[in-house]
Amino acid sequence: MNIVFIEPGFPANQRLFVHALASVGANVFGIGESGEQELGDDLRGAMKAYYQVRNVTDVGQLTEAVQFFQRYAWIDALESTVEAHTMAAAQVREATGIPGTSVHTTWLCRDKPSMKEALRQAGVPTAASAAVDTAQEAKEFADQVGYPLILKPRAGAGAAGTVRVDDDGELAAALQHFGETGASSIAIEEFVQGHEGFYDTITVGGHVAHDWATHYYPNVLEAMRSRWISPQFVTTNRMEGNPFYAEVRDLGRRVIEALGIGTSATHMEWFYGPKGLKFSEIGARPPGVGCWDLYSASNDVDVYREWAHIITHGTPERPMRRPYAAGIVALRPDRDGTVQGYSGIDAFMARHGKWVLDTNFPGRGSSTQPVEAGYMANSWLRMRHPDYDELRGMLDDAGRTIHVHAG
């Protein structure tokens, strides 16, 4: 197969998708914003050709690049793995006759109010939500649904730009902030109390070929607001024969069917609390923050290659046997500034080092990143263990005993 891949060089893990496609026999044609020489010999060697554009989200430029390749080869697929690229990719597919996720499905996976309305019509349990264009509309929604509420960009990814408001004053302040950032329309929704997790899949023709269930500790909004928290997410190896995960899988199946997702990676967020299991949102793309690295480690399977094998050959190559649970803990600096040093690492490694997959401890003098920048913005540590509860305990131990000193 001849597969066009958007933005092979940035961010860094994009290279893993390109190498995976090449490893299963695909001819990869890259389109990106970097100069070809900037990609390096290793990445260039994994591609048959490369076309530079100024902006990979510009549909005109992207169409021109794809049509250039189509003059020399039949293009079987056009793949994007970054949320911001998915709509342009869908529009170019339809303009150039390449099969894949449609513009309509991509729109539903990006525009949160439209997504939830489509799913409510299909009977999928979701939080009450709406798209609002004015402060009056937002206030009317608040009066109808009640606080707390969640406000977020209509096409945002993950927790980016998401805020919780608990009263009229906080709502007004949040709306002013969105206005100052240029947002003309935002998504507003009911705050769902409960535990938060996500369900990821790789689908073939609308059917799940591989799946994983992962838990946040604590929920994302709390994790992104509090410096003292060392947040985790942990993928479980207890899915089989478990009634709760059977419910999660059924929810995911219904979402995939309702939104018309065919062959794609997906990333779905959910909440479980007093009102039961509730769907939150979906991306028709792989998860970020190194999740597939954890899935690979927990199964002793290269998930990037599995994705590539499904895209190229239409079938999975290896099963997910789940011998391990795997997770990451983010280790925040005690203040913003520059890293001055660490304490507790050696003692932790003496206790649990055999279960550590990899670590990131930026050197002394490195600039720290703000708490809201995410799980991998500063120091972090990834681990796996055959027992989920044992793994949770070790990740908790890391959060309590490893300290990042900044000044």
Side-chain angles (χ1 to χ4, degrees):
M1 287 184 72
N2 298 318
I3 298 175
V4 174
F5 187 84
I6 297 176
E7 198 53 272
F10 183 82
N13 74 328
Q14 290 286 89
R15 298 165 182 262
L16 299 175
F17 295 97
V18 174
H19 283 290
L21 287 167
S23 76
V24 299
N27 298 316
V28 184
F29 299 81
I31 301 174
E33 296 173 6
S34 301
E36 187 171 352
Q37 295 305 311
E38 299 172 43
L39 302 178
D41 292 342
D42 187 49
L43 181 57
R44 292 207 315 272
M47 296 186 291
K48 293 296 182 182
Y50 178 77
Y51 192 109
Q52 183 182 3
V53 296
R54 295 186 305 279
N55 183 350
V56 294
T57 64
D58 184 290
V59 174
Q61 294 178 44
L62 199 58
T63 301
E64 181 180 306
V66 170
Q67 289 175 334
F68 174 83
F69 291 136
Q70 286 179 316
R71 288 199 288 271
Y72 298 96
W74 177 267
I75 300 300
D76 297 282
L78 170 61
E79 295 298 323
S80 63
T81 57
V82 174
E83 177 76 21
H85 303 163
T86 56
M87 180 53 75
Q91 291 173 311
V92 173
R93 283 190 204 100
E94 293 194 358
T96 57
I98 299 172
T101 306
S102 68
V103 170
H104 178 66
T105 293
T106 303
W107 168 254
L108 291 177
C109 289
R110 283 184 57 76
D111 186 74
K112 294 172 176 58
S114 301
M115 173 200 305
K116 287 191 168 68
E117 180 58 30
L119 294 176
R120 277 193 290 269
Q121 291 180 10
V124 175
T126 69
S129 64
V132 295
D133 301 319
T134 67
Q136 179 61 32
E137 290 175 349
K139 182 62 168 59
E140 289 172 358
F141 183 89
D143 291 342
Q144 178 183 357
V145 174
Y147 293 103
L149 296 170
I150 298 297
L151 278 64
K152 59 180 73 175
R154 290 186 65 167
T162 301
V163 296
R164 169 179 165 166
V165 297
D166 293 300
D167 54 42
D168 288 349
E170 291 185 2
L171 175 62
L175 292 173
Q176 181 178 349
H177 170 73
F178 277 108
E180 290 171 348
T181 60
S184 59
S185 181
I186 62 171
I188 186 169
E189 64 185 54
E190 169 192 14
F191 175 79
V192 178
Q193 182 180 359
H195 172 68
E196 185 179 6
F198 50 96
Y199 176 62
D200 293 335
T201 76
I202 303 175
T203 62
V204 182
H207 301 284
V208 175
H210 291 308
D211 64 351
W212 306 268
T214 306
H215 297 264
Y216 288 115
Y217 303 100
N219 290 354
V220 176
L221 276 182
E222 184 180 358
M224 295 301 110
R225 285 181 169 187
S226 304
R227 179 180 296 279
W228 66 269
I229 294 173
S230 296
Q232 311 167 17
F233 57 80
V234 187
T235 188
T236 186
N237 58 343
R238 296 175 175 173
M239 291 181 70
E240 310 310 323
N242 185 303
F244 173 72
Y245 296 117
E247 188 178 357
V248 170
R249 281 172 154 163
D250 181 64
L251 183 78
R253 177 191 59 77
R254 292 162 65 192
V255 170
I256 288 164
E257 180 179 349
L259 299 184
I261 294 170
T263 299
S264 178
T266 74
H267 174 64
M268 295 179 240
E269 304 268 348
W270 51 260
F271 287 90
Y272 182 78
K275 297 181 180 180
L277 184 64
K278 294 272 193 178
F279 174 82
S280 177
E281 59 186 63
I282 184 173
R285 53 162 176 83
V289 206
C291 288
W292 275 13
D293 300 338
L294 293 178
Y295 300 160
S296 296
S298 65
N299 290 278
D300 286 326
V301 171
D302 183 345
V303 172
Y304 296 91
R305 182 180 169 94
E306 282 300 307
W307 167 83
H309 199 274
I310 286 169
I311 295 298
T312 305
H313 301 290
T315 61
E317 186 175 41
R318 296 180 59 190
M320 299 293 146
R321 302 196 184 277
R322 313 185 203 279
Y324 300 98
I328 182 173
V329 57
L331 303 166
R332 270 78 175 268
D334 55 10
R335 70 199 69 192
D336 289 327
T338 59
V339 174
Q340 302 299 304
Y342 300 88
S343 58
I345 296 176
D346 291 344
F348 178 86
M349 296 300 286
R351 291 191 298 273
H352 307 301
K354 66 179 290 187
W355 303 111
V356 173
L357 295 167
D358 54 2
T359 64
N360 180 60
F361 292 108
R364 182 180 175 86
S366 301
S367 297
T368 67
Q369 301 300 314
V371 168
E372 61 271 16
Y375 292 81
M376 302 185 85
N378 291 289
S379 300
W380 49 261
L381 181 148
R382 297 193 287 198
M383 305 181 73
R384 71 178 184 179
H385 192 276
D387 186 90
Y388 183 88
D389 295 317
E390 289 289 329
L391 176 63
R392 284 289 325 281
M394 290 188 292
L395 293 169
D396 285 345
D397 188 27
R400 285 191 303 267
T401 64
I402 299 177
H403 301 288
V404 185
H405 305 289

